[in-house]
Amino acid sequence: MPGIAVAPPVSPTEPVTELLHGVSITDPYRWLEEQDSPRTRQWIQEQTQYARIYLDNLPGRQKIRERIREFLAVETYDSLQKVGNRYFFRKRLPDQEQPGIYLREGAGGQDCLLLDPAQLGTGKYTAVKPLRVSADGRLLLYEIKEGGERTGTFALLEINTRKTLPDLLPRGYLRGFAFAPDGKSFYYVHEPVDSKRPSYRAAYRHVLGTDPDDDEEIFSAGDGENIRLCLISEGRRLGFLVYRFAKKTQTEFYVRAFDNERSTQTFVASTDYILSPLLLSAKILALTDCNARNLRIVELRLCGKKETQWIEIVAESEARINQWLVVGDRIFVSYIRASGTEVCVFDFSGKKTGEVPLPRDQSIRFLGGFAGNEELLFEAESFAEPIGIWRYNEGVDKPALWAKRIVSFDATNYVHARSSYPSKDGVQIPMFLFGRRDVLEGGCHPAIMTSYGGFGVSMTPQFSVFVAFLVEHGCLFALPGIRGGSEFGADWHTAARRRNRQMAYDDFLSAAEWLIASGRTRADKLAIFGGSNSGLLVGAAMTQRPELFRAVVCMVPMLDMLRYHLFDNAHIWQEEFGTAEDPEDFAALAKYSPYHQVRNGIPYPATMIVSGDADRNCNPLHARKMTARLQAANASPHPIFLDYNQFRGHSPVLPLSARIDALTDRMAFLCEQLQLPV
């Protein structure tokens, strides 16, 4: 088998032992946390050479690449927003490396290029994205990213002249932005990467054409790495949301007029409830879990200096609210139900006025709406149908297509089915199965499985080139709705949150057992994949039950759960995972932390770990340390390697050629391991 005869590079161990809550914990590869050290860079180079020896010699690689290119080198649209009669969006032509920013006058108008990132002259890893258009339609705020970084640089484009103004927010995190009503200034909350006060959280006003050092501070949330300040706005007012992250996140909410600091009002002094407010011209609406675990929409009314009324508009239901959006004088609310996605329409009194007519087997994502508009914009996709962008006005028969991604994938040849299986504790877990008609009719087939299991994210039908390629080649795709999501409301999420996290992994492992026991696949034909929190999921699954899987693709993951909170901004997730600083959290984390659960002499499945320098969500130290640990411990003949790219991060903005190369590697790996015909 290709590449198997070549042993992986030796990763020196330098054990660091600590006593955590009376338990001795040894970390053999702590030195790999130092990303820029010469030793780590040399190690990455050696690992990359090892991975390329294996990947570049896989059979059928060129044919796989040609098919991946057919999937990806197509016209795409995203990031759509509407101001007046103008649509602003990103569009990439079939062979372009990166999409440009475009303008369309009216729904049926011509697409006019506003900005091509290639014109910036900084290379194919530079991406741009439209963020905000001024009310007068004169200025466009856009973001510039380099590779997959989460941070960006923020610039202003004068739309009519196509000129970029000198008013620039440097590389960092933008937590809110608003154009002033007069168009002569803007307000912002920005966390620069190179700030002299990196933990200071404040909002500022910048007058166009002036020195940024002269920007006026208009609101301060204080100094502290556990504080986040966000800014929201509408035509006359600014809103400030202050989050203070601890074992329980505390939220504060303030509102003031644009140019009147004295008008600042405290709507919520401090609450540990979810609070997601929306400023409208005459009222303030908010999404909250206050007295509603599955969320409700309320109106916030300030009755006195310290008293705020929470007036219910859209009541809680048995399904958790997935998204909500105000368009004109209507509130659109999406729910994930057992029968599929449902979008209901309410007026401001809370009366349900209708539903958006949609196929129930599609995933729906609202794109944007403003009180001044009468049009709902949303994306829709399914397992077999790529993303389409749709327009909807209440009262019309059905949504109208605005743009659609066209790929050479014949949806009529593929079907999906809903099933369920018992988890370890007997609870029935829902699962989607998707593939060719003959595959779903029965028999034992290669299978690929993923899920998420965290942050209340529900698993719904989505089009994936990763999955489409594999089902074309005879795979069965399985998508269980494990606990940690919100498939059955808030309780489904909390059942696998924090110290109960193992519940999500039990559900996932039970899905694999059911697929094998039902004869749909075998352990030597089953692969799993996932990224981010889903990367943690597949890491936990393969270290707890390595015998269940033939191959694992673990992308941009967190894997050292005893130290994850010490890097970047990951400490804000302590409500979801807990941290090793708490003795009870530590006990739960230590039992499943994938890096700490690797055992010497165990035959592990073939494993591809994917990461890169630019990831500041799930720091690449996790991938580096896990690769070294698995390679040293593995007793199977299967390859374990790291796919690493200095530009790769947590944002999906790599250029077309890099995406084709990366997906070719993953498909070639899985085709070889699952013995799929190429």
Side-chain angles (χ1 to χ4, degrees):
M1 298 175 72
I4 298 301
V6 180
V10 175
S11 301
T13 59
E14 294 182 5
V16 176
T17 301
E18 298 172 303
L19 199 64
L20 297 177
H21 308 293
V23 179
S24 180
I25 301 293
T26 298
D27 184 348
Y29 300 106
R30 181 74 58 86
W31 63 273
L32 280 171
E33 293 180 357
E34 299 176 19
Q35 179 159 295
D36 296 323
S37 73
R39 297 172 59 201
T40 298
R41 303 318 298 181
Q42 178 65 29
W43 181 89
I44 292 171
Q45 182 179 344
E46 292 171 355
Q47 289 290 337
T48 299
Q49 292 171 349
Y50 171 67
R52 295 306 340 156
I53 289 173
Y54 171 71
L55 291 168
D56 290 343
N57 289 284
L58 290 174
R61 181 180 175 84
Q62 184 56 36
K63 187 176 180 181
I64 292 170
R65 193 180 194 282
E66 291 170 0
R67 182 61 181 129
I68 294 300
R69 183 172 183 81
E70 289 177 356
F71 272 118
L72 294 181
V74 297
E75 189 171 273
T76 64
Y77 293 80
D78 64 66
S79 307
L80 178 66
Q81 58 181 289
K82 184 183 181 185
V83 177
N85 195 42
R86 287 179 158 186
Y87 297 86
F88 297 86
F89 53 96
R90 278 199 308 192
K91 175 181 175 180
R92 186 178 58 75
L93 300 178
D95 291 314
Q96 282 186 315
E97 289 284 13
Q98 294 283 5
I101 297 176
Y102 283 76
L103 161 67
R104 182 187 294 185
E105 295 277 2
Q110 296 294 316
D111 295 347
C112 300
L113 179 66
L114 294 179
L115 180 65
D116 182 351
Q119 297 172 351
L120 300 178
T122 49
K124 67 180 183 179
Y125 284 91
T126 300
V128 295
K129 181 179 181 180
L131 297 180
R132 185 70 61 88
V133 180
S134 61
D136 59 8
R138 185 173 66 90
L139 298 175
L140 167 71
L141 173 74
Y142 67 96
E143 180 182 33
I144 306 168
K145 282 185 180 290
E146 297 296 336
E149 63 173 350
R150 274 295 173 94
T151 55
T153 302
F154 305 90
L156 291 178
L157 181 74
E158 197 170 50
I159 294 170
N160 290 337
T161 65
R162 310 294 199 263
K163 292 181 179 179
T164 295
L165 301 184
D167 306 271
L168 187 80
L169 294 175
R171 184 168 164 257
Y173 297 94
L174 187 63
R175 306 295 187 190
F177 183 96
F179 286 104
D182 62 7
K184 297 179 180 179
S185 62
F186 61 79
Y187 299 79
Y188 65 93
V189 174
H190 181 242
E191 299 172 14
V193 169
D194 298 323
S195 174
K196 297 177 181 178
R197 302 178 66 184
S199 299
Y200 186 63
R201 310 296 184 228
Y204 298 89
R205 175 176 180 260
H206 173 78
V207 178
L208 295 179
T210 65
D211 190 327
D213 291 338
D214 296 331
D215 288 359
E216 173 192 4
E217 180 181 306
I218 63 167
F219 184 90
S220 173
D223 201 317
E225 65 174 10
N226 290 327
I227 300 173
R228 178 169 292 177
L229 172 64
C230 297
L231 179 149
I232 60 175
S233 68
E234 55 88 25
R236 297 182 295 110
R237 294 176 294 179
L238 297 170
F240 305 99
L241 281 160
V242 181
Y243 301 99
R244 303 187 188 276
F245 298 104
K247 289 185 178 180
K248 190 76 173 176
T249 300
Q250 297 292 318
T251 303
E252 303 160 18
F253 178 46
Y254 308 89
V255 176
R256 58 161 278 186
F258 266 93
D259 297 316
N260 187 355
E261 183 178 354
R262 294 182 179 179
S263 69
T264 300
Q265 296 174 302
T266 304
F267 270 77
V268 178
S270 183
T271 181
D272 58 9
Y273 292 115
I274 292 172
L275 183 69
S276 179
L278 175 67
L279 297 178
L280 302 176
S281 59
K283 60 185 65 183
I284 299 174
L285 301 184
L287 183 72
T288 183
D289 65 348
C290 177
N291 299 323
R293 287 178 55 76
N294 283 337
L295 303 174
R296 61 181 178 142
I297 298 172
V298 299
E299 181 181 350
L300 300 179
R301 289 185 186 173
L302 198 60
C303 300
K305 290 185 177 180
K306 294 185 179 180
E307 183 180 352
T308 300
Q309 281 187 305
W310 299 51
I311 302 168
E312 184 167 276
I313 305 297
V314 178
E316 178 187 23
S317 74
E318 78 282 359
R320 187 176 175 86
I321 292 177
N322 183 47
Q323 280 186 291
W324 70 296
L325 196 65
V326 172
V327 179
D329 59 356
R330 292 291 186 264
I331 305 171
F332 289 80
V333 183
S334 71
Y335 301 91
I336 305 298
R337 302 185 187 275
S339 58
T341 302
E342 178 182 292
V343 177
C344 300
V345 189
F346 300 88
D347 62 21
F348 285 152
S349 72
K351 178 184 177 182
K352 183 178 175 181
T353 61
E355 294 185 15
V356 180
L358 296 166
R360 291 298 177 91
D361 63 348
Q362 291 187 339
S363 292
I364 306 299
R365 286 180 299 278
F366 296 156
L367 289 178
F370 303 93
N373 288 341
E374 297 296 331
E375 187 172 68
L376 172 71
L377 303 173
F378 65 91
E379 290 180 341
E381 62 180 321
S382 67
F383 288 125
E385 292 285 349
I387 290 175
I389 300 177
W390 299 79
R391 307 159 46 232
Y392 177 75
N393 290 280
E394 192 179 17
V396 302
D397 291 338
K398 59 182 180 180
L401 183 66
W402 190 87
K404 187 172 184 178
R405 185 174 304 182
I406 306 298
V407 300
S408 59
F409 183 79
D410 188 357
T412 60
N413 291 330
Y414 301 88
V415 294
H416 78 270
R418 299 172 188 268
S419 187
S420 66
Y421 62 92
S423 189
K424 185 177 180 179
D425 60 355
V427 171
Q428 287 290 313
I429 309 298
M431 181 156 62
F432 286 106
L433 299 174
F434 172 64
R436 289 193 322 234
R437 293 179 182 276
D438 62 304
V439 170
L440 257 68
E441 287 172 358
C444 184
H445 302 277
I448 183 79
M449 183 171 71
T450 192
S451 192
Y452 197 75
F455 297 95
V457 176
S458 297
M459 293 290 94
T460 60
Q462 297 180 27
F463 185 83
S464 161
V465 173
F466 190 114
V467 171
F469 179 93
L470 292 172
V471 297
E472 273 189 339
H473 289 74
C475 269
L476 172 69
F477 174 56
L479 182 68
I482 64 178
R483 281 169 282 192
S486 294
E487 282 81 354
F488 297 105
D491 291 342
W492 203 249
H493 174 207
T494 56
R497 190 172 65 177
R498 203 162 183 165
R499 296 164 193 164
N500 299 322
R501 202 64 171 198
Q502 182 60 40
M503 191 74 74
Y505 309 142
D506 288 343
D507 290 352
F508 191 69
L509 292 168
S510 294
E513 292 174 331
W514 182 83
L515 289 169
I516 294 167
S518 65
R520 293 180 177 274
T521 193
R522 301 195 308 257
D524 64 344
K525 290 187 173 186
L526 177 58
I528 54 177
F529 74 97
S532 194
N533 178 72
S534 184
L536 168 61
L537 169 68
V538 300
M542 63 97 69
T543 50
Q544 293 182 23
R545 295 291 302 280
E547 76 280 2
L548 286 179
F549 311 108
R550 176 52 190 264
V552 178
V553 178
C554 181
M555 299 175 287
V556 291
M558 289 198 306
L559 297 166
D560 181 346
M561 295 307 292
L562 300 186
R563 290 176 58 78
Y564 84 91
H565 63 293
L566 302 177
F567 300 91
D568 305 318
N569 291 315
H571 60 273
I572 69 173
W573 300 327
Q574 60 181 303
E575 277 192 76
E576 187 70 21
F577 299 110
T579 73
E581 294 172 4
D582 181 291
E584 293 184 51
D585 289 345
F586 164 75
L589 291 164
K591 286 182 180 179
Y592 76 75
S593 175
Y595 177 64
H596 298 90
Q597 290 304 315
V598 177
R599 298 289 179 260
N600 292 332
I602 298 295
Y604 286 103
T607 303
M608 179 183 201
I609 299 178
V610 179
S611 190
D613 283 347
D615 197 338
R616 289 297 176 267
N617 271 52
C618 298
N619 193 291
L621 69 89
H622 295 276
R624 296 192 295 264
K625 290 169 63 174
M626 188 67 167
T627 299
R629 183 73 187 96
L630 278 173
Q631 287 176 343
N634 185 33
S636 80
H638 307 313
I640 292 173
F641 60 94
L642 177 66
D643 175 13
Y644 201 89
N645 183 312
Q646 71 177 99
F647 296 103
R648 184 178 289 125
H650 227 70
S651 296
V653 293
L654 293 183
L656 175 64
S657 58
R659 291 166 53 222
I660 292 172
D661 290 343
L663 198 51
T664 297
D665 286 341
R666 293 165 204 173
M667 295 302 98
F669 166 67
L670 289 172
C671 284
E672 197 256 350
Q673 293 301 321
L674 299 179
Q675 294 297 287
L676 302 179
V678 177

